[in-house]
Amino acid sequence: MSGRKRTLEAISFELVMTVIAVIALAIIIAPSLVVLIVSFTSGFSLRFPPPGYSLRWYAELWNAWQLHFAAKNSLIVAVWATSLSVVLGVAAALAISRSRTLSARLLDSLFMSPLVLPALAFGLAALMLFSLVGLPVSPLTLVIGHTVVCVPYVVRNTVAALAQLEPTLLESSAVLGASRLYTFRRIVLPLIRPGIIAGAFIAFMSSFDNVPVSLFLRDAATDMLPIRMWQDLEGKLDVTIAALSGVLIIATVALVAVMERITGLSRRLTN
Amino acid sequence: MGAAPASRDVTSYGMGLAAPLALFFLLFFVAPLLQLLWLSLHNDTAGLHWGLGQYLHFLTDPFSLGVLGSTLLLGAEVTAVCLVLGFPIAWLYQRVGPKLQTIIILIVLLPLLTSVVVRTFAWIVILGRQGIINATLQSLGVIDTPLKLLYTQFGVVIALAQVQMPLMTLPLITALGRIDPNLDDASCSLGAGSWRTFFRIVLPLSLPGVIAGCTLTYAAAITAFITQSLVGGGQMLFMPMYLYQQASTLQNWPFAAAISIIFLLAVLAVVSVFTTLGRMSRGYGGA
């Protein structure tokens, strides 16, 4: 830094980059702030700025039983899909993380592929298969479908945590006479736990927010929250949805803050 | 002496632990996709007559090809916007102290974890006839009648760019963090200006991150069903909605299956082009 001359040219570069960065950060954060503000409107429309402020739409939300029902279904499916993802994903991550074999690398690509493939195509494919074998759409089919698209997050974060683990720790533990299971419980698991929690958190959020898979694998009896919201928005621009969005934004901010403390989420996603 | 079998090595675990997930994927991921492929190779809805009729239909139908083309173009536009806006964020991140770094990361991260319906809904509020942009421009007297921003290509691109921005920015931050800061200083002290240093040193060295970010952003942008349909409205049709209409509303499963396979192949083609570029750039950047 010290050798750099503060020329006009250098200043122009820094100015342009900083201005674009600040504008970009504003574009990222603005929509959430706008929704939060609009959700406190006292009027009937989504006009910005609102004519006045009130909590009426949050009160309205209290009575919106269709949204409650959909939210409950989404929560149940997300909890099951996350649990299944953690059990299957952590075991698989242990197997493939330190292996350099071709089969380990192929399995890794297979487990990651739901992240890039269009989930809507997978949703349709899963519906076709389930109807072929005579399995009707139900919470079970939803949990299976969600697990496929959520497990990559658990595998990826657990593999990353295992890669940071010092192999000498495991060797020392073995030399000192600890069994593999004991070493796993007392050394490996505590060290990779933040990675597993971070993966499980992202898996949970993406299941709770999933549309493409739920679209094909749910029915009226298993309405899911993002789809209920989407269909409400297709019909009319309801201010109740703004209040619900406000609740979801605040819940997300709170959860991210908790996760940042427990797992150091921000460092994990940039390493 | 050969390598010790994996099971003896205390630092690794047997491949058997991957078996449950592998089996799960075989049953519920690979099998459905094979079934999709099988059905797409049939000319009738019942799946009795083999043939390439569905693919011929798609590839000779100007309307279908138009939908595919506009979807791929949309992905390119969103990726370009994300790159132009995301790179300066990653650059700024390397210049500020640890406290501001955490704030920047959390700002970038937050949309990734906020419900995509909520994020899209926000853009409806911003771009609508009574939205912020129109209200501001009207009160300033710049325009008399509200601009049409919602249900336009511009609206879809800007909304998708915001929704997918974290996928571009996070790999860029990682990539820029790996560049030796001395290179930057060396280039400057040898007389190259800041702009030249950026385009000749920083940008080429960050190519692995750029390519990773572009791959993720592109794949996410072209499959973003909710944002495309809510901000694009009824007049703009992209592949995900086309697929959904054929499958759900029209119950034309073989054609929907063919659309899915063509869409999957298009995504795979784009991803493999990016991956190949990434491999080439790593050889370049790693030097």
Side-chain angles (χ1 to χ4, degrees):
Chain A
M1 289 284 171
S2 52
R4 186 167 299 175
K5 285 197 206 80
R6 291 251 138 222
T7 57
L8 197 65
E9 195 263 350
I11 295 169
S12 76
F13 172 75
E14 305 213 339
L15 194 70
V16 168
M17 291 296 266
T18 312
V19 166
I20 299 178
V22 171
I23 291 174
L25 287 170
I27 291 178
I28 293 178
I29 201 82
S32 301
L33 293 179
V34 166
V35 168
L36 266 181
I37 294 169
V38 165
S39 71
F40 291 106
T41 186
S42 59
F44 282 95
S45 72
L46 296 165
R47 186 191 293 271
F48 189 96
Y53 295 93
S54 79
L55 286 171
R56 63 183 290 187
W57 296 105
Y58 285 87
E60 197 79 23
L61 195 58
W62 196 257
N63 301 316
W65 65 269
Q66 277 187 315
L67 291 175
H68 292 197
F69 176 70
K72 199 185 83 184
N73 284 332
S74 280
L75 269 180
I76 293 172
V77 168
V79 166
W80 279 104
T82 306
S83 312
L84 198 56
S85 295
V86 168
V87 172
L88 294 172
V90 171
L94 286 171
I96 61 176
S97 68
R98 292 195 174 268
S99 176
R100 295 254 171 277
T101 58
L102 181 67
S103 60
R105 274 184 290 139
L106 285 177
L107 280 176
D108 190 43
S109 311
L110 174 67
F111 297 153
M112 289 303 132
S113 53
L115 287 184
V116 268
L117 294 185
L120 207 66
F122 165 68
L124 175 65
L127 173 67
M128 285 174 177
L129 187 85
F130 287 137
S131 66
L132 185 77
V133 298
L135 203 61
V137 293
S138 66
L140 176 70
T141 57
L142 277 167
V143 169
I144 292 173
H146 279 209
T147 303
V148 169
V149 291
C150 294
V151 86
Y153 299 108
V154 176
V155 174
R156 195 170 60 181
N157 281 282
T158 311
V159 166
L162 281 164
Q164 310 258 313
L165 201 67
E166 282 290 330
T168 45
L169 281 176
L170 310 187
E171 282 158 8
S172 322
S173 178
V175 167
L176 293 170
S179 71
R180 286 178 72 86
L181 191 64
Y182 188 83
T183 307
F184 177 74
R185 268 199 311 127
R186 299 300 297 267
I187 302 201
V188 178
L189 197 55
L191 286 172
I192 64 169
R193 191 178 290 137
I196 298 174
I197 294 174
F201 172 64
I202 299 172
F204 178 87
M205 297 303 272
S206 74
S207 164
F208 190 73
D209 187 35
N210 183 285
V211 171
V213 176
S214 301
L215 206 53
F216 287 106
L217 297 181
R218 53 102 226 190
D219 56 14
T222 50
D223 205 3
M224 304 291 277
L225 190 62
I227 294 184
R228 177 81 264 144
M229 289 172 76
W230 170 57
Q231 287 176 340
D232 284 358
L233 287 177
E234 290 264 88
K236 57 192 169 3
L237 284 181
D238 191 343
V239 190
T240 321
I241 298 296
L244 177 58
S245 300
V247 171
L248 290 177
I249 290 170
I250 292 165
T252 307
V253 171
L255 280 174
V256 169
V258 170
M259 282 297 143
E260 179 67 19
R261 283 201 84 94
I262 302 180
T263 70
L265 200 62
S266 60
R267 271 180 294 112
R268 233 160 253 290
L269 292 171
T270 50
N271 277 332
Chain B
M1 282 225 306
S7 58
R8 291 264 192 80
D9 181 0
V10 289
T11 62
S12 69
Y13 296 86
M15 288 300 285
L17 280 173
L21 187 59
L23 187 68
F24 188 85
F25 262 59
L26 217 55
L27 282 176
F28 301 119
F29 183 66
V30 179
L33 291 179
L34 289 177
Q35 147 92 358
L36 191 74
L37 182 64
W38 181 84
L39 192 64
S40 75
L41 293 168
H42 286 79
N43 290 339
D44 59 322
T45 333
L48 297 172
H49 304 284
W50 288 88
L52 290 169
Q54 309 296 346
Y55 291 95
L56 283 176
H57 175 193
F58 189 98
L59 296 172
T60 53
D61 174 25
F63 179 76
S64 301
L65 288 176
V67 174
L68 178 63
S70 56
T71 309
L72 297 178
L73 180 68
L74 177 72
E77 289 173 354
V78 173
T79 308
V81 173
C82 281
L83 186 60
V84 170
L85 292 178
F87 209 105
I89 297 181
W91 176 86
L92 186 68
Y93 178 87
Q94 306 299 340
R95 294 296 176 103
V96 297
K99 229 185 209 132
L100 270 176
Q101 282 193 334
T102 311
I103 292 174
I104 291 179
I105 286 286
L106 290 180
I107 290 179
V108 172
L109 205 56
L110 211 57
L112 190 67
L113 296 165
T114 309
S115 162
V116 83
V117 186
V118 173
R119 283 184 276 165
T120 304
F121 172 61
W123 282 101
I124 298 176
V125 177
I126 294 173
L127 299 173
R129 290 181 70 83
Q130 295 192 321
I132 301 172
I133 296 181
N134 273 321
T136 314
L137 290 179
Q138 273 177 311
S139 68
L140 290 174
V142 181
I143 49 167
D144 298 326
T145 48
L147 293 175
K148 189 175 186 264
L149 300 168
L150 210 54
Y151 314 132
T152 61
Q153 179 85 3
F154 167 80
V156 178
V157 170
I158 193 79
L160 271 177
Q162 188 262 340
V163 169
Q164 315 297 358
M165 189 86 79
L167 298 176
M168 177 67 85
T169 314
L170 293 174
L172 286 178
I173 287 178
T174 310
L176 285 184
R178 291 200 180 128
I179 297 177
D180 186 348
N182 289 326
L183 287 174
D184 203 13
D185 288 339
S187 167
C188 280
S189 55
L190 287 173
S194 297
W195 286 101
R196 195 154 164 226
T197 303
F198 177 75
F199 285 109
R200 301 294 291 272
I201 309 283
V202 180
L203 199 59
L205 285 176
S206 63
L207 267 182
V210 171
I211 286 159
C214 287
T215 313
L216 292 171
T217 313
Y218 193 90
I222 62 174
T223 59
F225 178 71
I226 288 288
T227 313
Q228 288 170 1
S229 78
L230 283 179
V231 181
Q235 287 113 20
M236 299 171 71
L237 189 60
F238 299 105
M239 287 294 271
M241 192 56 172
Y242 191 35
L243 193 173
Y244 179 64
Q245 283 177 349
Q246 292 295 326
S248 255
T249 320
L250 303 172
Q251 293 284 323
N252 189 354
W253 280 20
F255 189 52
I259 296 176
S260 306
I261 297 293
I262 290 169
F263 193 32
L264 275 172
L265 291 178
V267 174
L268 279 180
V270 171
V271 169
S272 38
V273 167
F274 277 129
T275 316
T276 313
L277 287 175
R279 209 164 286 144
M280 282 157 60
S281 75
R282 257 198 299 280
Y284 182 35

